[in-house]
Amino acid sequence: SRAGEVAAGLALGYAIEVLAYIPARAAGLPLLVLVPPAAVLGAFACVPGLRRHWRGTGGAGGSGERMPAWCAWALAGVVAYLITWSTLFLYRLPIGAAYVDMPYHLALVGEVKNHVPPTLPSVLGERLSYHWFVYAEMAATSWVTGIEPVTLVYRLATLPMTAATVVLVAVLGRRLSGRWGGGVAAVAVTYFLFGPVLQEGVVFPTRSMFTAWASPTQTFGALLFVPVMLLLTGGWRRPALVALGLLLLALTGAKATFLPLLLAGLLVVVAVRWVVERRLRAEWLVPAAGTLVCLLIAQFVVFGRGAQGTAVAPFATMRTVWGVVTGVDMPALAAEPTVPLVVLTAVHLFCLACVWGGVAGLGRRLLEPPVLLPVGVGLAGIGAIVLLGHPSDAQLYFLEGVRPYLSVAAVCGMLAARRVPLWLSGCMVALGVAAAVLVSQAGVTGGALLRVVVPYLMLVAAALAVWRRGYVLAVIALLGGYALPTSAREVIAHVLPEEDERAVLIPQGAQEAGRWLRAHSSPDDVVATDLHCRPVAWLECDSRHFWVSGFSERRVLVEGWAYAESTLSRAKLFTTPYLMVPFADPGRLAANDAAFRKPSAAGVQLLSQKYGVKWLFTGINPELGKFARLRFRNATSSVYELTGR
């Protein structure tokens, strides 16, 4: 379809933009990012034979087929829903009350706008072991258009990415199911079907797609990955191989978690086809080899062998859930027995089947590589959340990453399954809904795990009874019904305004002070600040403080260190929360803070001569004026310049 081709072209354009911006910025000429689009336009202007491609004759998104009007309106409705959610989640809030990580994203855009290769802007000299290509995209957009980074991060950047992903998931669903209805259903399952609750307020993690703003890296990676899957499931042509290579290279730094998932899916296809055909096909081995190379590039070049706290920790996801439902906190949570975790993991897998149980209806279609690939990718994502752990549960991004592909496979399975009487499907849905309501009201404590297990056993027994009669679709209806109450609540809750407004944690004049500093300093200048901890009452120091580096677009000697590799690598799962890990260099932090708490000529000179600090950013601190030159002040913030270096 034309819409699919436009969306796939947008994704490829993003990939080319990032891959062009990185060397352009490294060379100090960021506007050279315009060379690829200028070359494309020039080629089409000079070669008349190329112009037929503007009409859209196929490619990753389709073969010129027109999307039905009802399908286009359905997808427009999904996008409108996501825009409504964005409005309530972010747009209506002042910048100072937005999600905690938004200043972090802003700081990384400023860093990549001025420096490649980038470092962590909130800790001078700290390697940036993180997916940062989406920030390169925003930086390139800012250079070309003049749009402020804060506008891109808080208002604009991820909207087209989200909309294009919706369209591409529908196109993939249409390709594999053979029907546009299958594509729309795949989008519906991807965005609106969630796992059942364990008890009120505790949902088994099936990960929603509602991280568009909270995690732009996930949003960017998700967009780039769908055309990869389209190319791999659509047969081979040489231009497709070039596009696939560009997309995989972009994924190395966009969201490298997609690469091991893809590699696992490709290896599943290779293994199954070897069993079926007794031969190894290059069409799957070549992309597997390319994915492995890109994965190595990501790990050793982009991440510098850093793991950002991710570790092999079986059942870590369920240990977190167990701590929530039983009230057990760290460090006692680390010593909790394994048996309830194994039981909860089994229940969790059952809840995943409630969302994606349609895969069971695939039958012999599961042997087809285009269908087997998304199933293999999905199984890899489920395996990752069972085997891996992270201080902030970031292993769940693996599950979020595979959500569209499990959804596509589930819809294909439902369409391939044997038809059953409508009354039977309705009864199964009603039974599932009733069971979900009963379980959510029962609750669970450490000594009453059976209160949760028994209803699931009853559901399994009912499913097996129906399954033995060959009514796979009725079983899928039973499982889906069990997920419906939670899904309905979640879908409605996302577009209802929150009753409690978030506290404004960034001072009123912070942005003005940061922009003044940006306008009067060089990108290579170093800033020192005594602002390290977000003003929250529940923690002694929440070091997710990034708005100084974010608004100023300057590197800071020490601001917030929560997401530094040197912090996350020292956090012990379920023993030492990463937010309680102290700064890795206490000598630097002590020297930094002494210059603000007890200003002296020696303290200020130490920052200047040893660490290269030129600017001091703080609140209202008149004593600093005796040893540094006051350059800016408003009601909440002050900026001092160190002279005589």
Coordinates of all heavy atoms in Angstrom, one line a residue, residues 413-492:
G413 N -2.6 -17.1 13.5 CA -3.1 -18.4 14.0 C -4.6 -18.4 14.2 O -5.3 -19.5 13.9
M414 N -5.2 -17.3 14.6 CA -6.7 -17.3 14.8 C -7.4 -17.4 13.4 O -8.4 -18.1 13.3 CB -7.1 -16.0 15.5 CG -6.8 -15.9 17.0 SD -7.5 -14.5 17.8 CE -6.4 -13.2 17.2
L415 N -6.8 -16.8 12.4 CA -7.4 -16.9 11.1 C -7.2 -18.3 10.5 O -8.0 -18.7 9.7 CB -6.8 -15.9 10.2 CG -7.1 -14.4 10.5 CD1 -6.4 -13.4 9.6 CD2 -8.6 -14.2 10.5
A416 N -6.1 -19.0 10.9 CA -5.9 -20.3 10.3 C -6.6 -21.5 11.1 O -6.7 -22.6 10.6 CB -4.3 -20.6 10.3
A417 N -7.0 -21.2 12.3 CA -7.6 -22.2 13.1 C -9.0 -22.6 12.6 O -9.7 -21.9 11.9 CB -7.8 -21.7 14.6
R418 N -9.4 -23.9 13.0 CA -10.7 -24.4 12.6 C -11.8 -23.6 13.2 O -11.8 -23.2 14.4 CB -10.8 -25.8 13.1 CG -12.2 -26.5 12.9 CD -12.1 -27.8 13.7 NE -13.5 -28.4 13.8 CZ -13.8 -29.4 14.5 NH1 -12.8 -30.1 15.1 NH2 -15.0 -29.9 14.6
R419 N -12.8 -23.2 12.4 CA -13.9 -22.4 12.8 C -14.8 -23.2 13.9 O -14.9 -24.4 13.8 CB -14.9 -22.1 11.7 CG -14.2 -21.3 10.6 CD -13.7 -19.9 11.0 NE -12.3 -20.0 11.3 CZ -11.6 -19.0 11.8 NH1 -12.2 -17.8 12.0 NH2 -10.3 -19.1 12.1
V420 N -15.3 -22.5 14.8 CA -16.2 -23.1 15.9 C -17.5 -22.3 16.0 O -17.5 -21.1 15.5 CB -15.5 -23.0 17.3 CG1 -14.2 -23.8 17.2 CG2 -15.2 -21.6 17.7
P421 N -18.5 -22.9 16.5 CA -19.8 -22.2 16.7 C -19.6 -20.9 17.4 O -18.9 -20.8 18.4 CB -20.7 -23.2 17.4 CG -20.1 -24.5 17.1 CD -18.6 -24.3 17.0
L422 N -20.3 -19.8 17.0 CA -20.2 -18.5 17.6 C -20.6 -18.6 19.1 O -20.0 -17.9 20.0 CB -21.0 -17.5 16.9 CG -20.9 -16.0 17.3 CD1 -19.5 -15.6 17.2 CD2 -21.9 -15.1 16.5
W423 N -21.6 -19.4 19.4 CA -22.1 -19.5 20.8 C -21.0 -20.0 21.7 O -20.9 -19.6 22.9 CB -23.4 -20.3 20.9 CG -23.2 -21.8 20.6 CD1 -23.4 -22.4 19.4 CD2 -22.7 -22.8 21.5 NE1 -23.1 -23.7 19.5 CE2 -22.7 -24.0 20.8 CE3 -22.4 -22.8 22.9 CZ2 -22.3 -25.2 21.3 CZ3 -22.0 -24.0 23.4 CH2 -22.0 -25.2 22.7
L424 N -20.2 -21.0 21.2 CA -19.1 -21.6 22.0 C -18.0 -20.5 22.3 O -17.6 -20.4 23.4 CB -18.6 -22.8 21.3 CG -17.4 -23.5 22.0 CD1 -17.9 -24.0 23.4 CD2 -16.9 -24.7 21.1
S425 N -17.7 -19.8 21.2 CA -16.7 -18.8 21.5 C -17.1 -17.7 22.5 O -16.4 -17.3 23.4 CB -16.3 -18.1 20.1 OG -15.7 -19.0 19.2
G426 N -18.4 -17.3 22.4 CA -19.0 -16.4 23.3 C -18.9 -16.9 24.7 O -18.6 -16.2 25.7
C427 N -19.3 -18.2 24.9 CA -19.3 -18.8 26.3 C -17.8 -18.8 26.8 O -17.6 -18.5 28.0 CB -19.9 -20.2 26.2 SG -21.6 -20.2 26.0
M428 N -16.9 -19.1 26.0 CA -15.5 -19.2 26.4 C -15.0 -17.8 26.8 O -14.3 -17.6 27.8 CB -14.6 -19.8 25.3 CG -14.8 -21.2 25.0 SD -14.4 -22.3 26.4 CE -16.0 -22.6 27.1
V429 N -15.4 -16.8 26.0 CA -15.0 -15.4 26.4 C -15.6 -15.0 27.8 O -14.9 -14.5 28.6 CB -15.4 -14.4 25.3 CG1 -15.2 -13.0 25.8 CG2 -14.6 -14.6 24.0
A430 N -16.9 -15.3 28.0 CA -17.5 -15.0 29.2 C -16.9 -15.7 30.4 O -16.7 -15.2 31.5 CB -19.0 -15.4 29.1
L431 N -16.5 -17.0 30.2 CA -15.9 -17.8 31.2 C -14.5 -17.2 31.6 O -14.2 -17.0 32.8 CB -15.7 -19.2 30.8 CG -15.0 -20.2 31.8 CD1 -15.7 -20.3 33.1 CD2 -14.8 -21.6 31.1
G432 N -13.8 -16.7 30.6 CA -12.5 -16.1 30.9 C -12.6 -14.8 31.6 O -11.9 -14.5 32.5
V433 N -13.6 -14.0 31.2 CA -13.8 -12.7 31.9 C -14.2 -13.0 33.4 O -13.7 -12.3 34.3 CB -15.0 -11.9 31.2 CG1 -15.4 -10.7 32.1 CG2 -14.5 -11.4 29.8
A434 N -15.1 -13.9 33.6 CA -15.5 -14.2 35.0 C -14.3 -14.7 35.9 O -14.1 -14.3 37.0 CB -16.6 -15.3 35.0
A435 N -13.5 -15.5 35.3 CA -12.3 -16.0 36.0 C -11.4 -14.9 36.3 O -10.8 -14.8 37.4 CB -11.6 -17.1 35.2
A436 N -11.2 -13.9 35.4 CA -10.3 -12.8 35.6 C -10.8 -11.9 36.8 O -10.0 -11.5 37.6 CB -10.1 -12.0 34.4
V437 N -12.1 -11.7 36.8 CA -12.6 -10.9 37.9 C -12.5 -11.6 39.3 O -12.1 -10.9 40.3 CB -14.1 -10.6 37.6 CG1 -14.8 -9.9 38.8 CG2 -14.3 -9.8 36.4
L438 N -12.7 -12.9 39.3 CA -12.6 -13.6 40.6 C -11.1 -13.6 41.1 O -10.9 -13.4 42.3 CB -13.0 -15.0 40.4 CG -14.6 -15.2 40.2 CD1 -14.9 -16.7 39.9 CD2 -15.3 -14.7 41.5
V439 N -10.2 -13.8 40.2 CA -8.8 -13.8 40.6 C -8.3 -12.5 41.1 O -7.6 -12.3 42.1 CB -7.9 -14.4 39.4 CG1 -6.4 -14.2 39.8 CG2 -8.2 -15.8 39.2
S440 N -8.7 -11.4 40.4 CA -8.2 -10.1 40.8 C -8.7 -9.7 42.1 O -8.1 -8.9 42.8 CB -8.7 -9.1 39.7 OG -10.1 -8.9 39.7
Q441 N -9.9 -10.2 42.5 CA -10.4 -9.9 43.8 C -9.9 -10.7 44.9 O -10.0 -10.4 46.1 CB -12.0 -10.0 43.8 CG -12.6 -8.9 42.9 CD -14.1 -9.1 42.8 OE1 -14.7 -10.1 43.2 NE2 -14.8 -8.1 42.2
A442 N -9.3 -11.9 44.6 CA -8.9 -12.8 45.6 C -7.6 -12.3 46.3 O -7.4 -12.4 47.5 CB -8.6 -14.2 45.0
G443 N -6.7 -11.7 45.5 CA -5.4 -11.3 46.1 C -4.5 -12.4 46.4 O -4.9 -13.6 46.3
V444 N -3.3 -12.1 46.9 CA -2.3 -13.2 47.1 C -1.4 -12.7 48.2 O -1.0 -11.5 48.3 CB -1.5 -13.6 45.9 CG1 -0.8 -12.4 45.3 CG2 -0.6 -14.7 46.2
T445 N -1.0 -13.6 49.1 CA 0.0 -13.3 50.1 C 1.0 -14.5 50.0 O 0.8 -15.5 49.4 CB -0.5 -13.2 51.5 OG1 -1.1 -14.4 51.8 CG2 -1.6 -12.1 51.5
G446 N 2.1 -14.3 50.7 CA 3.1 -15.4 50.7 C 2.6 -16.7 51.2 O 3.1 -17.7 50.7
G447 N 1.6 -16.7 52.0 CA 1.1 -18.0 52.6 C -0.1 -18.5 51.9 O -0.7 -19.5 52.3
A448 N -0.6 -17.8 50.8 CA -1.8 -18.2 50.2 C -1.6 -18.2 48.6 O -2.5 -17.7 47.9 CB -2.9 -17.2 50.6
L449 N -0.5 -18.7 48.2 CA -0.3 -18.8 46.8 C -1.3 -19.6 46.0 O -1.6 -19.4 44.9 CB 1.2 -19.3 46.5 CG 1.7 -19.1 45.1 CD1 1.7 -17.7 44.7 CD2 3.1 -19.7 45.0
L450 N -1.8 -20.6 46.7 CA -2.8 -21.5 46.1 C -4.1 -20.7 45.6 O -4.8 -21.1 44.7 CB -3.2 -22.7 47.0 CG -2.2 -23.8 47.1 CD1 -2.7 -24.8 48.1 CD2 -1.9 -24.4 45.8
R451 N -4.4 -19.6 46.3 CA -5.5 -18.8 46.0 C -5.4 -18.3 44.5 O -6.4 -17.9 43.9 CB -5.7 -17.7 46.9 CG -6.1 -18.2 48.3 CD -6.0 -17.1 49.4 NE -7.0 -16.0 49.1 CZ -7.0 -14.9 49.8 NH1 -6.1 -14.6 50.7 NH2 -7.9 -13.9 49.5
V452 N -4.1 -18.1 44.1 CA -3.9 -17.7 42.7 C -3.8 -18.9 41.8 O -4.3 -18.9 40.7 CB -2.6 -16.8 42.6 CG1 -2.2 -16.6 41.2 CG2 -2.9 -15.5 43.3
V453 N -3.1 -19.9 42.2 CA -2.8 -21.1 41.3 C -4.1 -21.8 41.0 O -4.3 -22.2 39.8 CB -1.8 -22.0 42.0 CG1 -1.6 -23.3 41.2 CG2 -0.5 -21.3 42.3
V454 N -5.0 -22.0 41.9 CA -6.2 -22.9 41.7 C -7.1 -22.3 40.5 O -7.5 -23.1 39.6 CB -7.0 -23.0 43.0 CG1 -8.4 -23.6 42.6 CG2 -6.3 -23.9 44.0
P455 N -7.4 -21.0 40.5 CA -8.2 -20.5 39.3 C -7.5 -20.8 38.0 O -8.1 -21.1 37.0 CB -8.3 -19.0 39.6 CG -8.2 -18.9 41.1 CD -7.2 -20.0 41.5
Y456 N -6.1 -20.6 38.0 CA -5.4 -20.9 36.7 C -5.5 -22.4 36.3 O -5.6 -22.7 35.2 CB -4.0 -20.4 36.9 CG -3.8 -18.9 36.9 CD1 -3.7 -18.2 38.0 CD2 -3.9 -18.2 35.7 CE1 -3.5 -16.9 38.0 CE2 -3.7 -16.8 35.7 CZ -3.6 -16.2 36.8 OH -3.5 -14.8 36.8
L457 N -5.4 -23.2 37.3 CA -5.5 -24.7 37.0 C -6.9 -25.0 36.5 O -7.0 -25.8 35.5 CB -5.3 -25.5 38.3 CG -3.8 -25.4 38.8 CD1 -3.7 -26.2 40.1 CD2 -2.8 -26.0 37.8
M458 N -7.9 -24.3 37.0 CA -9.3 -24.5 36.5 C -9.4 -24.1 35.0 O -10.0 -24.7 34.2 CB -10.3 -23.8 37.4 CG -10.4 -24.4 38.8 SD -11.5 -23.4 39.9 CE -13.0 -23.5 39.0
L459 N -8.8 -22.9 34.7 CA -8.8 -22.4 33.4 C -8.0 -23.4 32.4 O -8.5 -23.7 31.3 CB -8.1 -21.0 33.3 CG -9.0 -19.8 33.7 CD1 -8.1 -18.6 33.7 CD2 -10.1 -19.7 32.6
V460 N -6.9 -23.9 32.9 CA -6.1 -24.8 32.1 C -7.0 -26.1 31.8 O -7.0 -26.6 30.7 CB -4.8 -25.2 32.8 CG1 -4.1 -26.3 32.0 CG2 -3.9 -24.0 32.8
A461 N -7.6 -26.6 32.8 CA -8.5 -27.8 32.7 C -9.6 -27.5 31.7 O -9.9 -28.4 30.8 CB -9.1 -28.2 34.0
A462 N -10.2 -26.4 31.7 CA -11.3 -26.0 30.8 C -10.7 -25.9 29.4 O -11.3 -26.4 28.4 CB -12.0 -24.7 31.2
A463 N -9.5 -25.3 29.3 CA -8.9 -25.2 27.9 C -8.6 -26.5 27.3 O -8.8 -26.8 26.2 CB -7.6 -24.3 28.1
L464 N -8.0 -27.4 28.2 CA -7.7 -28.8 27.7 C -8.9 -29.6 27.2 O -8.9 -30.3 26.2 CB -6.9 -29.5 28.8 CG -5.5 -29.0 29.1 CD1 -4.9 -29.8 30.2 CD2 -4.6 -29.1 27.8
A465 N -10.0 -29.4 28.0 CA -11.2 -30.1 27.6 C -11.7 -29.7 26.3 O -12.2 -30.5 25.5 CB -12.3 -29.9 28.7
V466 N -11.7 -28.4 26.0 CA -12.1 -27.9 24.7 C -11.1 -28.2 23.6 O -11.5 -28.6 22.5 CB -12.3 -26.4 24.8 CG1 -12.7 -25.8 23.4 CG2 -13.4 -26.0 25.8
W467 N -9.8 -28.2 24.0 CA -8.8 -28.5 23.0 C -8.9 -29.9 22.5 O -8.7 -30.2 21.3 CB -7.4 -28.2 23.7 CG -6.2 -28.4 22.7 CD1 -5.7 -29.5 22.2 CD2 -5.4 -27.3 22.3 NE1 -4.7 -29.3 21.4 CE2 -4.4 -27.9 21.4 CE3 -5.4 -26.0 22.4 CZ2 -3.5 -27.2 20.8 CZ3 -4.4 -25.2 21.8 CH2 -3.5 -25.8 21.0
R468 N -9.2 -30.8 23.4 CA -9.3 -32.2 23.0 C -10.3 -32.5 21.9 O -10.3 -33.4 21.1 CB -9.6 -33.1 24.2 CG -8.4 -33.2 25.2 CD -8.7 -34.2 26.2 NE -8.8 -35.6 25.7 CZ -9.1 -36.6 26.5 NH1 -9.3 -36.5 27.8 NH2 -9.2 -37.8 25.9
R469 N -11.3 -31.6 21.8 CA -12.3 -31.7 20.7 C -11.9 -31.0 19.5 O -12.7 -30.9 18.5 CB -13.6 -31.2 21.3 CG -14.2 -31.9 22.5 CD -15.6 -31.7 22.7 NE -16.4 -32.1 21.6 CZ -17.8 -32.0 21.6 NH1 -18.4 -31.5 22.6 NH2 -18.4 -32.4 20.5
G470 N -10.7 -30.4 19.5 CA -10.2 -29.7 18.3 C -10.6 -28.3 18.2 O -10.4 -27.7 17.1
Y471 N -11.3 -27.8 19.2 CA -11.7 -26.4 19.2 C -10.7 -25.4 19.6 O -10.8 -24.8 20.7 CB -13.0 -26.2 20.0 CG -14.2 -27.0 19.5 CD1 -15.2 -27.4 20.3 CD2 -14.3 -27.2 18.1 CE1 -16.3 -28.0 19.8 CE2 -15.4 -27.9 17.6 CZ -16.4 -28.3 18.5 OH -17.5 -29.0 18.0
V472 N -9.6 -25.3 18.8 CA -8.5 -24.4 19.2 C -9.0 -23.0 19.3 O -8.6 -22.2 20.3 CB -7.4 -24.5 18.2 CG1 -6.2 -23.6 18.5 CG2 -6.8 -25.9 18.1
L473 N -9.8 -22.6 18.4 CA -10.3 -21.2 18.5 C -11.1 -20.9 19.7 O -11.0 -19.8 20.3 CB -11.2 -20.9 17.2 CG -11.3 -19.4 16.8 CD1 -10.0 -18.8 16.6 CD2 -12.2 -19.3 15.6
A474 N -11.8 -21.9 20.3 CA -12.5 -21.7 21.5 C -11.6 -21.5 22.7 O -11.8 -20.7 23.6 CB -13.5 -22.8 21.8
V475 N -10.5 -22.2 22.6 CA -9.4 -22.1 23.7 C -8.8 -20.7 23.6 O -8.6 -20.0 24.7 CB -8.3 -23.1 23.5 CG1 -7.2 -22.9 24.5 CG2 -8.9 -24.5 23.7
I476 N -8.6 -20.2 22.4 CA -8.0 -18.9 22.2 C -9.0 -17.8 22.8 O -8.7 -16.8 23.4 CB -7.7 -18.6 20.8 CG1 -6.6 -19.5 20.3 CG2 -7.3 -17.1 20.5 CD1 -6.4 -19.5 18.8
A477 N -10.3 -18.1 22.6 CA -11.4 -17.2 23.1 C -11.4 -17.2 24.6 O -11.5 -16.1 25.2 CB -12.7 -17.6 22.5
L478 N -11.2 -18.3 25.2 CA -11.2 -18.4 26.7 C -10.0 -17.6 27.2 O -10.1 -16.8 28.2 CB -11.0 -19.9 27.1 CG -10.8 -20.2 28.6 CD1 -12.0 -19.8 29.4 CD2 -10.5 -21.6 28.8
L479 N -8.8 -17.8 26.6 CA -7.6 -17.1 27.1 C -7.8 -15.6 26.9 O -7.4 -14.8 27.8 CB -6.4 -17.6 26.4 CG -6.1 -19.1 26.6 CD1 -4.9 -19.5 25.8 CD2 -5.8 -19.4 28.1
G480 N -8.3 -15.2 25.7 CA -8.5 -13.8 25.4 C -9.5 -13.1 26.4 O -9.3 -12.0 26.8
G481 N -10.5 -13.9 26.7 CA -11.5 -13.4 27.7 C -10.9 -13.1 29.0 O -11.3 -12.1 29.7
Y482 N -10.0 -13.9 29.4 CA -9.3 -13.7 30.7 C -8.5 -12.4 30.7 O -8.3 -11.8 31.8 CB -8.4 -14.9 31.0 CG -7.8 -14.9 32.4 CD1 -8.7 -15.2 33.5 CD2 -6.5 -14.7 32.7 CE1 -8.2 -15.2 34.8 CE2 -6.0 -14.7 34.0 CZ -6.9 -14.9 35.0 OH -6.4 -14.9 36.3
A483 N -8.0 -12.0 29.6 CA -7.2 -10.7 29.5 C -8.1 -9.5 29.3 O -7.6 -8.4 29.4 CB -6.2 -10.8 28.4
L484 N -9.4 -9.7 28.9 CA -10.2 -8.5 28.6 C -10.5 -7.5 29.7 O -10.4 -6.3 29.4 CB -11.6 -9.0 28.0 CG -11.6 -9.5 26.5 CD1 -13.0 -9.9 26.1 CD2 -11.1 -8.3 25.6
P485 N -10.8 -7.9 30.9 CA -11.1 -6.9 31.9 C -9.9 -5.9 32.2 O -10.1 -4.7 32.2 CB -11.4 -7.7 33.2 CG -11.9 -9.0 32.6 CD -11.1 -9.3 31.4
T486 N -8.7 -6.5 32.3 CA -7.5 -5.7 32.5 C -7.3 -4.8 31.3 O -7.0 -3.6 31.4 CB -6.3 -6.5 32.7 OG1 -6.5 -7.4 33.9 CG2 -5.0 -5.7 32.9
S487 N -7.5 -5.3 30.1 CA -7.2 -4.6 28.9 C -8.2 -3.4 28.8 O -7.8 -2.3 28.4 CB -7.4 -5.5 27.6 OG -6.4 -6.5 27.7
A488 N -9.5 -3.6 29.1 CA -10.5 -2.6 29.0 C -10.1 -1.4 30.0 O -10.2 -0.2 29.7 CB -11.9 -3.1 29.3
R489 N -9.7 -1.8 31.2 CA -9.4 -0.8 32.2 C -8.2 0.0 31.8 O -8.1 1.2 31.9 CB -9.1 -1.4 33.6 CG -10.3 -1.9 34.3 CD -10.0 -2.2 35.8 NE -9.1 -3.3 35.9 CZ -9.4 -4.6 36.1 NH1 -10.7 -4.9 36.1 NH2 -8.5 -5.5 36.2
E490 N -7.2 -0.7 31.2 CA -5.9 0.0 30.8 C -6.2 0.9 29.6 O -5.7 2.1 29.6 CB -4.9 -1.0 30.4 CG -4.3 -1.8 31.5 CD -3.4 -0.9 32.4 OE1 -2.6 -0.1 31.9 OE2 -3.5 -1.0 33.6
V491 N -7.0 0.5 28.6 CA -7.3 1.3 27.5 C -8.0 2.6 27.9 O -7.7 3.7 27.4 CB -8.1 0.5 26.4 CG1 -8.6 1.4 25.3 CG2 -7.2 -0.6 25.8
I492 N -9.0 2.4 28.8 CA -9.7 3.6 29.2 C -8.8 4.5 30.1 O -8.8 5.8 29.9 CB -11.0 3.2 30.0 CG1 -11.9 2.4 29.1 CG2 -11.6 4.4 30.7 CD1 -13.1 1.8 29.8

